[in-house]
Amino acid sequence: MAKYLIGLYDDEDKLLSAVEAFQKEGIPIHEVCTPFPVHGLDHALHLKKSRLPDAAFVYGAMGTLTALSMQIYMYTIDWPINIGGKSHLPFPSFIPITFELTILFAGVLMFLSYLFVNRLYPGRRARVYDVRQTDDAMVMAIADEKVWDQARDLFRKTGAFEAKIVEL
Amino acid sequence: MFESPIREPLILGHKTYRQITTDLASPILGPASWKWYLTTAFTAAVMLAGFGAIAYTLWVGIGTWGLNKTVGWAFDITNFVFWIGIGHAGTLISAILLLFRQRWRMAINRAAEAMTIFAVICAGLFPIIHMGRPWLAFWFLPLPNTHGSLWVNFNSPLLWDVFAISTYFTISLLFWYTGLIPDLAMVRDRAKPGSFAYYAYSILSFGWTGSAKQWQRFEAVSLVLAGLSTPLVLSVHSIVSFDFATSILPGWHTTIFPPYFVAGAIFSGFGMVLTLMIITREVLDLKDYITLEHIDAMAKVTLATGMMVGFAYATEFFIAWYSGSYWERYIFLNRAFGPYWWSYWAMVSCNLLIPQVFWFKKLRRSPWFVFVISIFVNIGMWFERFVIIVTSLHRDFLSSSWRMYTPTWVEVTIFVGTIGLFLTLYLLFARFLPVIAAAETKSILKTSGDQYAGLSWEAYQTKKRQGAAAPAFQPAMDPDTPQS
């Protein structure tokens, strides 16, 4: 059971200026939870850019290679069939399946990576500071008990409509 | 941020974030009305009738259908292409409109993606039943086997179809679910802790909390999945059209098929989205989210894609004449004036002529009128596939083998059964999942809600009524600067 001081905001602009104010004061922000994606919040929190798109490219390339090697092995190497003298390596015919498997690998593996890096899985207990964080409130959580007094002050100054201590 | 005064608000009713949550979560957590039970019971009965007809087909054989040696593909493949086409609007709305940053997609993308998934389920049934021995459907997969191993034929567009449709289904499902997770968490937090709904939505929402890092990854994944789905949706119907276009049959052997099929798919998909969304906004009282502006925009897409398919019909005729091929010319004259003339003209009038009413803004903004037109679009696009498949086949190169095709009650029941399946799945979706992407709608509230964007809009309307010139650059209430 960890204790957090949370401040609730009802407006994303207040939240963004609050994040800036907290950083200026040097108060470490544990987490910010919002009911919808807030533009600029990741920059304000100095979050590193997600590398999932890069991973998707690698997964896609894996799909391309899998599809091409599968088709070439089956159709050209393992059992070449003479169909009216057509090529044993009909590259244009391989394009549709290669394309589809590229998309399939990139999409499925990226989705699984997304769940993995976010630690999302069926049955996981959600660590919800306040149920309003999926409704209409943006929640900023401060973990370090030493700065709580300072943080409570700053919550008031930056326009949080509520500040309280929660345990989860 | 500047909002143009001529851009209409997308969310009406001066909504707050809390109201959006309530509007979307309360129908899920509240009790269902008797009307919902009655409708679902009816569609489920229709679905079961269809399953019965499928069982009868499998028990007795494909001979229960109206197929003959000349017309070997008819109702089932028509239905297959029809359902696959229905699905395409969902991917278009969620993926292509996301890449184009069209905000009006937010109100309809969830339901349209759901339709994609359900339509692909319906579509997938048909080729499998048509195999006659569906328990051997796995022969389509490149698996090692005891015949050698004799592999599948990678030259065959039918095999490409297997890969295309299954990829399409999987990616659509993942895309849909990615967007659903935050909204399921929203429903979870509204349910009474300890109740069954709370546990069910806890499991389904995967423990989502909405932290800044999660949202950052969410946006990255959504964008990449949209980027992947866009070429995917174009490839799927192109590959479906290859089933026909790579043959040497007059009427099928045309290079225009891929773009023609893709435009037709988007056209028919928007027809179905309009049909269901007009009912949904009425029944679930979502008129503030699915506004006349949305219906207007969808009607415009329908008009544009309808004219594209109309253009393709004309091009086919021109090429048939210009090719100088006797067979090609005959097949097209036979299509329009042969024994199946009625299906050809049903197609042309439903797809090309009737949607022309959408040139008028007043008609685009009358929901029930649009609803009637959307039914015509659905009918017309079904006939398009029937025309392409049956009229090209029924009179082949030898006049001694010319045959007519008439569906039997079994085929009709299977088709009606898939409509029941589609509607049952949609009704379950509308009952248990948020039909509108709540988080995304909240994220555009400050730019598209009528109390923000609407200030300038209302001012513009009033000024217009008073006969004054439109305010040239009236700055809207700036949502990016904090209000005091």
Side-chain angles (χ1 to χ4, degrees):
Chain A
M1 284 299 221
K3 277 189 179 173
Y4 300 95
L5 173 72
I6 61 165
L8 288 92
Y9 294 86
D10 58 359
D11 186 289
E12 59 264 43
D13 300 314
K14 284 182 199 162
L15 174 76
L16 285 174
S17 41
V19 168
E20 241 169 71
F22 272 78
Q23 279 163 344
K24 212 173 271 168
E25 294 279 319
I27 303 175
I29 299 169
H30 177 67
E31 206 174 22
V32 178
C33 289
T34 56
F36 55 86
V38 173
H39 264 283
L41 185 59
D42 48 346
H43 289 294
L45 289 170
H46 308 304
L47 296 181
K48 264 190 269 168
K49 209 170 149 270
S50 169
R51 284 173 303 169
L52 282 166
D54 307 337
F57 177 80
V58 177
Y59 298 147
M62 276 161 57
T64 313
L65 290 178
T66 310
L68 276 179
S69 47
M70 174 185 82
Q71 292 176 99
I72 292 172
Y73 168 73
M74 290 175 183
Y75 217 61
T76 314
I77 299 168
D78 189 46
W79 190 313
I81 305 173
N82 187 346
I83 306 170
K86 283 182 191 166
S87 165
H88 292 312
L89 187 56
F91 194 69
S93 294
F94 290 168
I95 290 173
I97 291 178
T98 309
F99 176 78
E100 299 300 334
L101 286 187
T102 304
I103 303 273
L104 186 70
F105 273 57
V108 172
L109 292 176
M110 184 180 56
F111 179 75
L112 293 178
S113 311
Y114 164 71
L115 295 185
F116 180 76
V117 293
N118 274 337
R119 304 286 184 277
L120 294 172
Y121 51 87
R124 186 192 174 197
R125 196 179 64 87
R127 291 164 52 86
V128 179
Y129 298 101
D130 187 295
V131 287
R132 290 184 67 178
Q133 78 187 44
T134 52
D135 178 5
D136 63 345
M138 294 108 206
V139 175
M140 196 198 292
I142 310 293
D144 188 2
E145 273 189 54
K146 276 171 274 168
V147 292
W148 276 4
D149 286 336
Q150 203 188 347
R152 203 175 275 118
D153 249 19
L154 208 47
F155 276 139
R156 198 173 309 120
K157 271 189 212 149
T158 51
F161 66 85
E162 200 183 335
K164 60 180 177 187
I165 295 165
V166 290
E167 244 186 334
L168 69 145
Chain B
M1 186 200 275
F2 173 74
E3 274 295 318
S4 149
I6 49 166
R7 182 153 294 169
E8 247 185 272
L10 295 172
I11 306 163
L12 303 176
H14 293 251
K15 297 286 180 199
T16 60
Y17 295 136
R18 166 63 59 83
Q19 275 171 308
I20 295 176
T21 311
T22 316
D23 286 350
L24 296 173
S26 56
I28 298 171
L29 295 168
S33 67
W34 61 271
K35 283 179 199 154
W36 183 84
Y37 283 108
L38 199 69
T39 322
T40 312
F42 176 72
T43 57
V46 173
M47 172 183 83
L48 290 178
F51 288 161
I54 292 173
Y56 182 73
T57 304
L58 298 182
W59 188 257
V60 181
I62 296 292
T64 54
W65 294 1
L67 302 177
N68 50 52
K69 202 167 169 300
T70 311
V71 186
W73 273 8
F75 233 65
D76 50 338
I77 304 298
T78 302
N79 298 336
F80 162 70
V81 184
F82 172 75
W83 281 121
I84 285 288
I86 297 289
H88 278 51
T91 323
L92 180 95
I93 291 168
S94 57
I96 300 180
L97 296 186
L98 187 142
L99 296 182
F100 283 137
R101 310 239 175 242
Q102 293 292 308
R103 289 198 187 121
W104 60 273
R105 59 176 267 283
M106 306 252 184
I108 48 172
N109 64 346
R110 170 71 44 75
E113 285 169 41
M115 281 181 220
T116 300
I117 293 158
F118 306 151
V120 176
I121 292 172
C122 293
L125 280 175
F126 285 100
I128 292 176
I129 311 165
H130 195 184
M131 285 172 196
R133 298 181 193 180
W135 49 94
L136 297 180
F138 70 93
W139 283 12
F140 261 118
L141 304 175
L143 298 171
N145 52 65
T146 49
H147 308 147
S149 302
L150 191 57
W151 300 106
V152 286
N153 183 2
F154 290 110
N155 272 325
S156 166
L158 297 179
L159 185 74
W160 306 342
D161 236 5
V162 175
F163 282 86
I165 306 290
S166 40
T167 301
Y168 186 47
F169 179 75
T170 315
I171 297 292
S172 303
L173 189 68
L174 296 184
F175 198 5
W176 185 63
Y177 207 79
T178 307
L180 261 175
I181 290 174
D183 288 359
L184 292 169
M186 176 191 84
V187 179
R188 172 198 68 203
D189 291 344
R190 305 285 87 70
K192 211 167 78 207
S195 64
F196 175 74
Y198 179 79
Y199 285 114
Y201 288 102
S202 286
I203 291 170
L204 290 174
S205 60
F206 289 8
W208 175 271
T209 56
S211 73
K213 192 69 198 171
Q214 284 182 337
W215 279 120
Q216 188 201 29
R217 291 178 179 133
F218 173 90
E219 293 205 302
V221 167
S222 302
L223 197 63
V224 174
L225 278 179
L228 291 173
S229 305
T230 303
L232 177 67
V233 69
L234 301 179
S235 85
V236 169
H237 229 65
S238 298
I239 291 177
V240 168
S241 81
F242 289 164
D243 291 348
F244 306 98
T246 57
S247 74
I248 52 158
L249 196 76
W252 287 4
H253 184 62
T254 53
T255 45
I256 199 178
F257 260 28
Y260 163 32
F261 268 50
V262 171
I266 291 163
F267 177 64
S268 71
F270 268 89
M272 189 59 94
V273 170
L274 280 169
T275 307
L276 289 184
M277 290 320 274
I278 290 172
I279 300 176
T280 308
R281 78 194 276 272
E282 201 68 40
V283 173
L284 293 178
D285 199 18
L286 296 171
K287 292 197 197 86
D288 288 338
Y289 301 98
I290 304 162
T291 64
L292 295 180
E293 172 74 9
H294 290 93
I295 296 175
D296 187 351
M298 287 192 274
K300 281 180 191 159
V301 178
T302 312
L303 175 63
T305 47
M307 300 223 299
M308 281 183 215
V309 293
F311 181 66
Y313 301 155
T315 309
E316 278 190 321
F317 261 84
F318 172 76
I319 295 295
W321 165 76
Y322 191 65
S323 69
S325 158
Y326 177 80
W327 310 99
E328 197 77 28
R329 274 187 208 182
Y330 175 75
I331 225 68
F332 278 92
L333 286 176
N334 182 48
R335 240 180 219 185
F337 306 109
Y340 286 110
W341 64 271
W342 45 272
S343 62
Y344 183 82
W345 294 107
M347 164 186 101
V348 171
S349 34
C350 290
N351 294 349
L352 180 61
L353 303 180
I354 293 177
Q356 297 302 320
V357 296
F358 285 155
W359 284 105
F360 301 100
K361 188 168 186 174
K362 212 173 201 134
L363 298 177
R364 288 199 304 268
R365 285 172 173 267
S366 330
W368 293 109
F369 181 80
V370 176
F371 178 78
V372 173
I373 303 298
S374 75
I375 299 284
F376 278 115
V377 170
N378 291 329
I379 296 172
M381 281 312 288
W382 187 88
F383 270 111
E384 180 189 299
R385 281 62 180 253
F386 182 82
V387 166
I388 291 171
I389 293 169
V390 174
T391 65
S392 309
L393 283 172
H394 83 120
R395 291 192 167 171
D396 64 4
F397 301 95
L398 267 180
S399 48
S400 60
S401 58
W402 288 6
R403 291 288 181 278
M404 290 296 283
Y405 163 79
T406 329
T408 63
W409 66 268
V410 182
E411 287 167 288
V412 176
T413 314
I414 295 177
F415 176 55
V416 175
T418 53
I419 298 176
L421 170 64
F422 181 76
L423 292 178
T424 308
L425 289 170
Y426 186 78
L427 283 163
L428 290 172
F429 156 74
R431 171 77 186 92
F432 294 112
L433 299 173
V435 282
I436 289 177
E440 284 181 287
T441 306
K442 286 176 189 170
S443 75
I444 61 162
L445 181 67
K446 289 219 164 173
T447 44
S448 303
D450 55 352
Q451 70 270 45
Y452 302 98
L455 284 180
S456 51
W457 172 249
E458 274 163 23
Y460 169 69
Q461 288 293 315
T462 324
K463 283 252 173 77
K464 209 170 119 186
R465 257 194 305 277
Q466 290 162 349
F473 277 105
Q474 188 180 4
M477 200 165 125
D478 196 335
D480 284 349
T481 51
Q483 261 89 57
S484 53

